[in-house]
Amino acid sequence: MTLTKSAPTVSLTKQGSATGIMRVNLNWTARQSTGGGLLSRLQRPIDLDLGCLYEFTDGTKGVVQALGNAYRAGLPQVRDALIWLDGDDRSGASAGGENLYINLEQLPHIRRVLVFALIYQGVANWAAANAVATLYPTVGPQVEVRLDNPRNGAQICAIAMVENTGSDLAVRREENYIDGHQPALDQAYRWGMQWTPGRK
């Protein structure tokens, strides 16, 4: 199932998919096509980072991303992590891409998760990256968001919002390209967090 501008939302609850551990995969093409020559030899591969902003039902907010080694998010009263990232593919060469996991077994604690991709390294050329994000619920069809309407020059892209209303868990396609980095994403979605510089 592919989310599009004309059909941007799917209810995981109605599909019976709001359970278990959902994997969110990001895959992309690392090398840009530059036509050869010195420029192609100097051009760095595109390094995309998968991450998310999250808000829990108790008001806790944060980010899961490779930058700053913020690989996991949880709550003191919950033994298992609620959201985690499996690693950082620096080259784009990994067939598995990067994977984010959302523990829907703990859904009562999760209010919303904004999945994003950041061009950490390389020219901000989303068209060359040919990126696609795929959500894999434990049951039901996978949900795909293709980043195929790019605005080159933007460093970060909000891919999809996973939102729990209490009665329904839905995924909404965003594909919103934003100038700047995580603080700009935060501002665009009024997340209300304080940011400090981080590095890998």
Side-chain angles (χ1 to χ4, degrees):
M1 173 185 298
T2 300
L3 299 184
T4 64
K5 282 185 177 180
S6 58
T9 306
V10 62
S11 169
L12 297 183
T13 301
K14 290 179 181 177
Q15 292 188 162
S17 304
T19 185
I21 295 174
M22 181 169 66
R23 178 169 66 98
V24 182
N25 173 263
L26 178 68
N27 241 313
W28 69 96
T29 302
R31 283 282 171 196
Q32 303 182 62
S33 175
T34 58
L38 178 62
L39 180 60
S40 68
R41 291 194 296 273
L42 295 176
Q43 192 80 276
R44 289 183 170 186
I46 297 174
D47 176 15
L48 294 188
D49 277 357
L50 176 65
C52 73
L53 301 182
Y54 64 83
E55 182 181 4
F56 297 149
T57 52
D58 70 350
T60 300
K61 297 178 182 179
V63 60
V64 172
Q65 61 180 3
L67 194 65
N69 293 315
Y71 283 96
R72 298 172 71 85
L75 291 168
Q77 67 271 31
V78 181
R79 184 184 65 181
D80 299 323
L82 274 66
I83 306 169
W84 65 95
L85 190 63
D86 70 350
D88 180 21
D89 176 13
R90 301 294 289 271
S91 67
S94 170
E98 292 190 3
N99 295 283
L100 182 77
Y101 296 87
I102 303 173
N103 187 355
L104 299 182
E105 292 298 310
Q106 301 294 337
L107 186 57
H109 295 290
I110 299 171
R111 177 170 292 151
R112 57 180 180 155
V113 179
L114 179 63
V115 178
F116 67 81
L118 169 74
I119 296 183
Y120 181 75
Q121 179 175 279
V123 177
N125 185 343
W126 292 96
N130 192 31
V132 58
T134 309
L135 288 74
Y136 294 90
T138 53
V139 295
Q142 64 193 47
V143 179
E144 184 180 88
V145 178
R146 302 198 67 87
L147 306 188
D148 56 4
N149 294 287
R151 183 171 65 80
N152 290 332
Q155 288 292 127
I156 199 165
C157 177
I159 298 172
M161 180 77 79
V162 181
E163 193 160 17
N164 176 23
T165 65
S167 59
D168 185 49
L169 179 68
V171 179
R172 183 178 71 245
R173 171 188 178 273
E174 296 290 334
E175 201 194 355
N176 182 13
Y177 300 90
I178 295 169
D179 293 324
H181 295 84
Q182 289 88 334
L185 178 71
D186 179 308
Q187 185 175 17
Y189 285 87
R190 299 180 180 179
W191 220 264
M193 291 167 53
Q194 298 297 317
W195 294 88
T196 58
R199 62 182 182 181
K200 294 186 186 181

